[in-house]
Amino acid sequence: MPLITIVCHGLEDDLRVDGRGCEDYRHMEIETDVVSNTDGSAKVTLGHTAVLVGIKADIGKPRPMVPNEGYLEFFVDCSANATPEFEGRGGEELGTELSNTLYKVFNNKHSVDLKGLCISAGEHCWVLYVDVLLLQCDGNLYDAISVAIKAALFNTKIPRVHISADEEGGKEIELSDDPYDCMRLNVENVPCIVTLCKVGHRHVVDATLQEKACSVASLIISVTHKGTVTCTRKVGGGSLDPESIFEMTKAGKRVGKALHAPLMKLLQQEESLGKTRQKVGFLG
Amino acid sequence: MPTDTKRVRGPEVSQSPSLFLCKPAAVFPSHGARADGRQRDQVDVRPVFVRCGLVSQAKGSAYIEAGNTKLMCCVYGPKETERKDETDMKCGKLTTDMRFAPFSCLERGSWIQGSQDKDLSLMLHESLQPAVCLHKYPRSQIEVNVMVLENSGSVLAHAVTCASLALADAGIEMYDLVLGCSIRQDGASYVVDPSYMEENSCSSVGSKNQGGLTVAFLPSLNQISGLQSDGEMTEETLTAGVRTCIEGCYKLYPVIQQALAKAVRRAAPPPSES
């Protein structure tokens, strides 16, 4: 019996190949502060997909149209470590697609407080370079990346700066001497991406590569904790019925909204352990 | 190093003078008539001018003009695939390329494809792929090239329409024409087929429901082949927006069909009744 028949028939009864329900995620592990050279980092493992995000804060010039805001720059690297398909320039297309989607997800006023990243209007601001590295690829990259970015932003510590005027009237930037004197970001409104794959007549959340191969199209929807949708996108070479899209949007909003509360609790718990926390690292 | 004190050199990076103007950014009111006289909250798309068969060298071509947005598309193929190792023996390959002319936007762009161009090309590809009968063209490649001559809003939507017209003009077999429509949600009201100013206006009030949505639709099959949204919207607004875009596509359908029929008649005039 071909795989697609097995998968589709199982879904009619709300059963997936690995026993999950249609809207269940695989086992997810999150660890923050894994790379010490960054200002914030996080590693997320979702089933066999592993993603590492490092955030570095640099001082730069604000964009001309918005002089009193900082900004974020995203870069996704699909290296050949993740899967042999990414050898050479194979992963470049996927990397561009992922980073362009991330720009769209964060392209609104409330996800990250950009005004808080401004140092002096029109001259200096914080630029957060968010670099995503795919370590292992087993489907559902968008979800893993968005959770990792939220965790890494939570973990980011931006040093406090003081602007002082020096003798010639120019501005001088001083970093405070205390390494613990830093600014934290409010990640309450950072959205999480939910990918819904249409397989047969049903949709599934967190599809494995097998299920993805059986689907014609997927819908990615990024949802904040309040249920606001910041970005949607249809991916894949098939077409979708408008009714399916409405159904998937509702389901995506439900799943996405439910993801935020446990995630924030987990991050705060991990933070509160402080120095007593056991670091798992990459081999755990 | 001796500095030249007699000349005043300008900045090394040249910027558009419009950035230095003192007037505040235009804030578009979220109620009242739109700048070009169309209605808010109604499916009021710009009148569209389309023509097929402009480029003699291309297998199929189309030109679309909606308000001030001007796009042209050329289709080459089906031709043999260059890279044999990636050939899927059962069906053909569709490649899309969307570029902006440097003079098309308010600020001069560059000829090198930026990430925005690549992103739009990818979305164009996703919107067109479900409609083309690729299984009828094994081991072949169909190339679609869209060039934006003037960007005055909802470029992706019109690119999708233009590209599917060009594909039809080239005689590529398709399940249906793909039409694109976009809206911009601004607070409680929306505008269909926004112009460049309407797309990029920053609203003064940090209200909810700010964003843009583009939908690519196959009218006779009632299938959505492309969907993209950004900004911040509630799920109900998004759903209502998709329905509005579908209505906009239905409005456009007869015009596009007529243009295609005219082009076919021109290319092969019916035998005269004698």
Side-chain angles (χ1 to χ4, degrees), chain A residues 61 64-65 92-93 96-97 100-101 103-105 107-111 189 219 221-222 224 226-243 245-246 249-251 253, chain B residues 15 19 107 115-116 118-119 122-123 126-127 129-130 202-203 205-210 213 217-218 221-236 238-240 242-243 246:
Chain A
K61 206 162 170 5
M65 301 302 279
E92 215 182 286
E93 224 182 79
T96 327
E97 188 190 323
N100 281 327
T101 312
Y103 276 112
K104 283 210 188 68
V105 168
N107 182 24
N108 58 70
K109 293 196 176 72
H110 299 119
S111 291
N189 285 322
L219 186 73
I221 172 167
S222 92
T224 62
K226 290 195 193 127
T228 331
V229 174
T230 65
C231 171
T232 58
R233 193 170 151 159
K234 173 237 154 207
V235 284
S239 62
L240 293 167
D241 211 61
E243 291 307 317
I245 292 204
F246 299 146
T249 322
K250 258 202 205 59
K253 176 186 163 182
Chain B
Q15 291 173 322
L19 291 170
E107 285 178 27
S115 59
Q116 196 209 15
K118 287 206 187 98
D119 194 34
L122 187 63
M123 287 196 273
E126 279 169 359
S127 307
Q129 206 177 350
C202 20
S203 174
V205 185
S207 58
K208 281 216 130 196
N209 281 339
Q210 283 269 324
L213 169 68
F217 187 63
L218 285 83
L221 295 174
N222 195 32
Q223 294 274 303
I224 290 183
S225 66
L227 172 71
Q228 182 243 314
S229 86
D230 67 353
E232 275 182 299
M233 292 189 269
T234 59
E235 182 246 324
E236 293 82 18
L238 189 67
T239 312
V242 173
R243 282 191 225 270
I246 292 178

Side-chain angles (χ1 to χ4, degrees), chain A residues 1-196:
Chain A
M1 235 177 144
L3 177 67
I4 184 166
T5 324
I6 299 174
V7 170
C8 288
H9 283 181
L11 281 174
E12 303 291 324
D13 303 321
D14 199 21
L15 269 180
R16 288 159 80 170
V17 173
D18 50 6
R20 287 183 282 156
C22 282
E23 293 184 0
D24 290 337
Y25 274 94
R26 285 171 285 183
H27 175 72
M28 199 190 298
E29 280 179 17
I30 306 171
E31 196 186 343
T32 58
D33 207 19
V34 282
V35 181
S36 52
N37 283 335
T38 55
D39 296 305
S41 59
K43 174 171 169 284
V44 166
T45 317
L46 179 62
H48 285 295
T49 304
V51 162
L52 174 65
V53 171
I55 299 186
K56 284 191 94 70
D58 268 353
I59 298 185
K61 206 162 170 5
R63 295 217 172 107
M65 301 302 279
V66 271
N68 57 345
E69 285 179 4
Y71 56 98
L72 278 82
E73 292 274 5
F74 294 96
F75 180 69
V76 180
D77 183 54
C78 305
S79 73
N81 287 325
T83 133
E85 289 161 10
F86 293 162
E87 196 192 7
R89 302 193 66 180
E92 215 182 286
E93 224 182 79
L94 180 63
T96 327
E97 188 190 323
L98 288 166
S99 34
N100 281 327
T101 312
L102 288 173
Y103 276 112
K104 283 210 188 68
V105 168
F106 283 85
N107 182 24
N108 58 70
K109 293 196 176 72
H110 299 119
S111 291
V112 175
D113 181 19
L114 294 173
K115 291 206 167 53
L117 292 176
C118 177
I119 303 172
S120 68
E123 287 170 11
H124 303 287
C125 70
W126 284 112
V127 181
L128 293 179
Y129 290 100
V130 180
D131 296 302
V132 181
L133 196 64
L134 295 187
L135 300 171
Q136 265 192 79
C137 200
D138 188 30
N140 208 15
L141 293 170
Y142 281 103
D143 299 31
I145 290 176
S146 69
V147 170
I149 290 183
K150 183 159 179 157
L153 284 170
F154 178 80
N155 179 241
T156 307
K157 300 178 172 61
I158 302 178
R160 279 196 210 276
V161 286
H162 308 282
I163 309 279
S164 55
D166 62 7
E167 303 86 51
E168 280 120 42
K171 295 227 170 82
E172 211 175 84
I173 301 182
E174 284 168 14
L175 248 61
S176 88
D177 289 332
D178 181 7
Y180 291 102
D181 181 17
C182 52
M183 180 169 84
R184 300 293 292 268
L185 294 168
N186 181 4
V187 296
E188 283 272 313
N189 285 322
V190 171
C192 276
I193 302 179
V194 179
T195 310
L196 296 120

Side-chain angles (χ1 to χ4, degrees), chain B residues 91-253:
Chain B
C91 60
K93 192 165 128 159
L94 181 71
T95 47
T96 54
D97 187 38
M98 181 155 166
R99 280 175 205 254
F100 285 80
F103 43 77
S104 57
C105 302
L106 275 179
E107 285 178 27
R108 186 183 181 273
S110 72
W111 274 114
I112 306 167
Q113 260 204 334
S115 59
Q116 196 209 15
D117 292 5
K118 287 206 187 98
D119 194 34
L120 288 170
S121 307
L122 187 63
M123 287 196 273
L124 185 63
H125 184 265
E126 279 169 359
S127 307
L128 292 173
Q129 206 177 350
V132 180
C133 302
L134 285 170
H135 58 275
K136 300 232 168 156
Y137 301 98
R139 296 189 296 275
S140 319
Q141 181 176 316
I142 300 169
E143 259 181 44
V144 177
N145 298 316
V146 177
M147 173 65 84
V148 180
L149 299 170
E150 193 177 334
N151 177 6
S152 184
S154 45
V155 153
L156 181 60
H158 292 301
V160 167
T161 313
C162 194
S164 65
L165 255 181
L167 282 166
D169 187 46
I172 307 279
E173 290 192 45
M174 300 204 286
Y175 293 112
D176 191 8
L177 282 175
V178 190
L179 300 177
C181 186
S182 65
I183 71 165
R184 169 124 190 121
Q185 185 80 26
D186 192 11
S189 74
Y190 60 83
V191 286
V192 180
D193 196 11
S195 64
Y196 190 78
M197 291 276 104
E198 285 168 340
E199 258 179 7
N200 294 339
S201 68
C202 20
S203 174
S204 51
V205 185
S207 58
K208 281 216 130 196
N209 281 339
Q210 283 269 324
L213 169 68
T214 307
V215 170
F217 187 63
L218 285 83
S220 52
L221 295 174
N222 195 32
Q223 294 274 303
I224 290 183
S225 66
L227 172 71
Q228 182 243 314
S229 86
D230 67 353
E232 275 182 299
M233 292 189 269
T234 59
E235 182 246 324
E236 293 82 18
T237 322
L238 189 67
T239 312
V242 173
R243 282 191 225 270
T244 314
C245 283
I246 292 178
E247 229 185 280
C249 290
Y250 275 122
K251 275 206 165 174
L252 213 51
Y253 199 32

